[in-house]
Coordinates of all heavy atoms in Angstrom, one line a residue:
V1 N 0.9 -1.2 0.0 CA 0.0 0.0 0.0 C 0.9 1.2 0.0 O 1.6 1.5 1.0 CB -0.9 0.0 1.2 CG1 -1.8 1.3 1.2 CG2 -1.8 -1.2 1.2
E2 N 0.8 2.0 -1.1 CA 1.5 3.3 -1.2 C 0.8 4.4 -0.5 O -0.4 4.4 -0.5 CB 1.8 3.6 -2.6 CG 2.6 2.6 -3.4 CD 1.7 1.7 -4.2 OE1 0.5 1.6 -3.9 OE2 2.1 1.2 -5.2
S3 N 1.5 5.4 -0.1 CA 1.0 6.6 0.4 C 2.0 7.8 0.3 O 3.2 7.5 0.0 CB 0.5 6.5 1.9 OG 1.7 6.2 2.7
G4 N 1.5 9.0 0.4 CA 2.4 10.1 0.4 C 2.4 11.0 -0.8 O 3.1 12.0 -0.9
G5 N 1.6 10.5 -1.8 CA 1.5 11.3 -3.0 C 0.8 12.6 -2.8 O 0.2 12.8 -1.7
G6 N 0.8 13.5 -3.8 CA 0.0 14.7 -3.7 C 0.4 15.7 -4.8 O 1.1 15.4 -5.7
L7 N 0.0 16.9 -4.6 CA 0.3 18.0 -5.5 C 1.4 18.9 -4.8 O 1.3 19.3 -3.7 CB -0.9 18.9 -5.7 CG -0.7 20.2 -6.5 CD1 -0.3 19.9 -7.9 CD2 -2.0 21.0 -6.5
V8 N 2.5 19.2 -5.6 CA 3.6 20.0 -5.1 C 4.1 20.9 -6.3 O 4.0 20.5 -7.4 CB 4.7 19.0 -4.6 CG1 5.3 18.2 -5.7 CG2 5.8 19.8 -3.9
Q9 N 4.7 22.0 -5.9 CA 5.2 22.9 -6.9 C 6.6 22.4 -7.3 O 7.3 21.7 -6.6 CB 5.4 24.3 -6.3 CG 4.0 25.0 -6.2 CD 4.2 26.5 -5.8 OE1 5.2 26.9 -5.2 NE2 3.2 27.3 -6.2
A10 N 7.0 22.7 -8.5 CA 8.3 22.4 -9.0 C 9.4 22.9 -8.0 O 9.3 24.0 -7.5 CB 8.5 23.0 -10.4
G11 N 10.3 22.0 -7.8 CA 11.4 22.3 -6.8 C 11.1 21.8 -5.4 O 12.0 21.8 -4.6
G12 N 9.9 21.3 -5.2 CA 9.5 20.8 -3.9 C 9.8 19.4 -3.7 O 10.5 18.8 -4.5
S13 N 9.4 18.9 -2.6 CA 9.7 17.5 -2.2 C 8.5 16.7 -1.7 O 7.5 17.3 -1.2 CB 10.8 17.5 -1.0 OG 12.0 18.1 -1.4
L14 N 8.6 15.4 -1.9 CA 7.6 14.5 -1.4 C 8.3 13.2 -0.9 O 9.3 12.9 -1.5 CB 6.5 14.1 -2.4 CG 5.4 15.2 -2.8 CD1 4.6 14.6 -3.9 CD2 4.5 15.4 -1.6
R15 N 7.7 12.6 0.1 CA 8.2 11.3 0.5 C 7.1 10.2 0.4 O 6.1 10.3 1.1 CB 8.7 11.3 1.9 CG 9.4 10.1 2.4 CD 9.5 10.1 3.9 NE 10.6 9.1 4.4 CZ 10.6 8.6 5.6 NH1 9.7 9.0 6.5 NH2 11.5 7.8 5.9
L16 N 7.3 9.3 -0.5 CA 6.4 8.2 -0.6 C 6.7 7.0 0.3 O 7.9 6.8 0.5 CB 6.4 7.7 -2.1 CG 6.1 8.7 -3.2 CD1 6.1 8.1 -4.5 CD2 4.9 9.5 -2.9
S17 N 5.7 6.4 0.8 CA 5.9 5.2 1.6 C 5.2 4.0 1.0 O 4.2 4.2 0.3 CB 5.3 5.4 3.0 OG 6.0 6.5 3.7
C18 N 5.7 2.8 1.2 CA 5.1 1.6 0.8 C 5.1 0.6 1.9 O 6.1 0.1 2.3 CB 5.9 1.1 -0.4 SG 5.3 -0.6 -1.0
A19 N 3.9 0.4 2.5 CA 3.8 -0.5 3.6 C 3.4 -1.9 3.1 O 2.5 -2.1 2.3 CB 2.7 0.0 4.5
A20 N 4.2 -2.9 3.6 CA 4.0 -4.3 3.1 C 3.4 -5.1 4.2 O 3.7 -5.0 5.4 CB 5.3 -4.9 2.7
S21 N 2.5 -6.1 3.8 CA 2.0 -7.1 4.8 C 1.9 -8.4 4.0 O 2.1 -8.5 2.8 CB 0.6 -6.6 5.2 OG -0.3 -6.5 4.1
G22 N 1.8 -9.4 4.8 CA 1.7 -10.8 4.2 C 3.0 -11.5 4.5 O 3.6 -11.5 5.6
R23 N 3.5 -12.2 3.5 CA 4.7 -13.1 3.6 C 5.9 -12.2 3.9 O 5.9 -11.0 3.8 CB 4.9 -14.0 2.4 CG 5.3 -13.2 1.2 CD 5.4 -14.2 0.0 NE 6.5 -15.2 0.1 CZ 7.7 -14.9 -0.3 NH1 8.0 -13.8 -0.8 NH2 8.6 -15.9 -0.2
T24 N 7.0 -12.9 4.1 CA 8.2 -12.2 4.5 C 8.6 -11.1 3.6 O 8.6 -11.2 2.3 CB 9.4 -13.2 4.5 OG1 9.1 -14.3 5.4 CG2 10.7 -12.6 4.9
F25 N 8.9 -9.9 4.1 CA 9.2 -8.7 3.4 C 10.7 -8.4 3.4 O 11.2 -8.0 2.4 CB 8.5 -7.5 4.0 CG 8.9 -6.2 3.6 CD1 8.5 -5.6 2.4 CD2 9.9 -5.5 4.4 CE1 8.9 -4.4 2.0 CE2 10.3 -4.2 4.0 CZ 9.8 -3.7 2.8
S26 N 11.4 -8.8 4.4 CA 12.7 -8.3 4.6 C 13.7 -9.0 3.7 O 14.8 -8.4 3.5 CB 13.2 -8.6 6.1 OG 13.1 -10.0 6.3
N27 N 13.4 -10.1 3.0 CA 14.4 -10.7 2.2 C 14.1 -10.6 0.7 O 14.5 -11.3 -0.1 CB 14.5 -12.2 2.5 CG 13.3 -13.0 2.3 OD1 12.2 -12.4 2.1 ND2 13.3 -14.3 2.5
T28 N 13.2 -9.6 0.4 CA 12.9 -9.4 -1.0 C 13.3 -8.0 -1.5 O 13.2 -7.0 -0.8 CB 11.3 -9.5 -1.2 OG1 10.7 -8.5 -0.4 CG2 10.8 -10.8 -0.8
P29 N 13.8 -7.9 -2.7 CA 14.1 -6.6 -3.3 C 12.8 -5.8 -3.6 O 11.8 -6.4 -3.8 CB 14.8 -6.9 -4.6 CG 14.4 -8.3 -4.9 CD 14.1 -9.0 -3.7
M30 N 12.9 -4.5 -3.5 CA 11.8 -3.6 -3.7 C 12.1 -2.7 -4.8 O 13.3 -2.3 -5.0 CB 11.5 -2.8 -2.4 CG 11.1 -3.7 -1.2 SD 9.5 -4.5 -1.4 CE 8.4 -3.0 -1.4
G31 N 11.1 -2.2 -5.5 CA 11.3 -1.3 -6.5 C 10.2 -0.2 -6.5 O 9.1 -0.4 -6.0
W32 N 10.5 0.9 -7.1 CA 9.5 2.0 -7.4 C 9.5 2.2 -8.9 O 10.5 2.3 -9.5 CB 9.9 3.3 -6.7 CG 9.6 3.3 -5.2 CD1 10.5 3.0 -4.2 CD2 8.4 3.6 -4.6 NE1 9.9 3.1 -3.0 CE2 8.6 3.5 -3.2 CE3 7.1 4.0 -5.0 CZ2 7.6 3.8 -2.2 CZ3 6.1 4.2 -4.1 CH2 6.3 4.1 -2.7
F33 N 8.3 2.3 -9.4 CA 8.0 2.6 -10.8 C 7.0 3.7 -10.9 O 6.4 4.0 -9.9 CB 7.5 1.3 -11.5 CG 8.5 0.2 -11.6 CD1 8.8 -0.6 -10.5 CD2 9.2 -0.1 -12.8 CE1 9.7 -1.6 -10.6 CE2 10.1 -1.1 -12.9 CZ 10.4 -1.9 -11.7
R34 N 6.9 4.2 -12.1 CA 5.9 5.3 -12.3 C 5.3 5.2 -13.7 O 5.9 4.6 -14.6 CB 6.5 6.7 -12.1 CG 7.6 7.1 -13.1 CD 8.2 8.4 -12.7 NE 9.2 8.9 -13.6 CZ 10.0 9.9 -13.5 NH1 9.9 10.6 -12.3 NH2 10.8 10.3 -14.4
Q35 N 4.1 5.7 -13.8 CA 3.4 5.7 -15.1 C 2.6 6.9 -15.3 O 1.8 7.3 -14.5 CB 2.5 4.5 -15.2 CG 1.9 4.2 -16.6 CD 1.2 2.9 -16.7 OE1 0.9 2.2 -15.7 NE2 1.1 2.4 -17.9
S36 N 2.9 7.6 -16.5 CA 2.2 8.8 -16.9 C 1.1 8.4 -17.9 O 1.3 7.4 -18.6 CB 3.1 9.8 -17.5 OG 4.2 10.1 -16.6
P37 N 0.1 9.2 -18.1 CA -0.9 8.9 -19.1 C -0.3 8.7 -20.5 O 0.4 9.5 -20.9 CB -1.9 10.1 -19.0 CG -1.7 10.7 -17.6 CD -0.2 10.4 -17.3
G38 N -0.7 7.6 -21.1 CA -0.3 7.3 -22.4 C 1.1 6.8 -22.5 O 1.6 6.5 -23.6
K39 N 1.8 6.5 -21.4 CA 3.1 6.0 -21.4 C 3.2 4.7 -20.7 O 2.3 4.4 -19.9 CB 4.1 7.0 -20.7 CG 4.3 8.3 -21.5 CD 5.3 9.2 -20.8 CE 5.5 10.5 -21.6 NZ 6.6 11.3 -21.0
E40 N 4.2 3.9 -21.0 CA 4.4 2.7 -20.3 C 5.0 2.9 -18.9 O 5.6 3.9 -18.6 CB 5.4 1.8 -21.1 CG 4.9 1.3 -22.4 CD 5.8 0.4 -23.1 OE1 7.0 0.2 -22.6 OE2 5.5 -0.2 -24.1
R41 N 4.7 2.0 -18.0 CA 5.3 2.0 -16.7 C 6.8 2.0 -16.8 O 7.3 1.1 -17.5 CB 4.7 0.9 -15.8 CG 5.0 1.0 -14.4 CD 4.2 0.0 -13.6 NE 2.7 0.2 -13.7 CZ 1.8 -0.4 -13.0 NH1 2.1 -1.3 -12.1 NH2 0.5 -0.2 -13.2
E42 N 7.5 2.8 -16.0 CA 8.9 2.9 -16.1 C 9.6 2.8 -14.8 O 9.0 3.2 -13.8 CB 9.4 4.2 -16.8 CG 9.0 5.5 -16.0 CD 9.6 6.7 -16.6 OE1 10.2 6.7 -17.7 OE2 9.5 7.8 -16.0
F43 N 10.8 2.3 -14.8 CA 11.6 2.1 -13.6 C 12.0 3.4 -13.0 O 12.4 4.3 -13.8 CB 12.8 1.3 -14.0 CG 13.9 1.2 -12.9 CD1 13.7 0.5 -11.8 CD2 15.1 2.0 -13.1 CE1 14.7 0.4 -10.8 CE2 16.0 1.9 -12.1 CZ 15.9 1.2 -11.0

């Protein structure tokens, strides 16, 4: 579950969080990706 998104002015900062539940989390690699309208999801 991600959180922390929002609207910010250019030059500003945000901190996104990703809370995990379920099976073991600590031994898995994690990634962040993003997707804009009309574009593929990117690393």
Side-chain angles (χ1 to χ4, degrees):
V1 179
E2 303 96 335
S3 61
L7 173 64
V8 64
Q9 288 188 334
S13 299
L14 284 174
R15 188 194 197 201
L16 305 183
S17 298
C18 174
S21 61
R23 69 183 293 271
T24 302
F25 166 83
S26 61
N27 61 353
T28 61
M30 299 290 294
W32 284 96
F33 292 77
R34 66 187 183 186
Q35 189 168 18
S36 304
K39 295 186 177 180
E40 293 186 351
R41 194 168 297 188
E42 65 175 4
F43 168 74

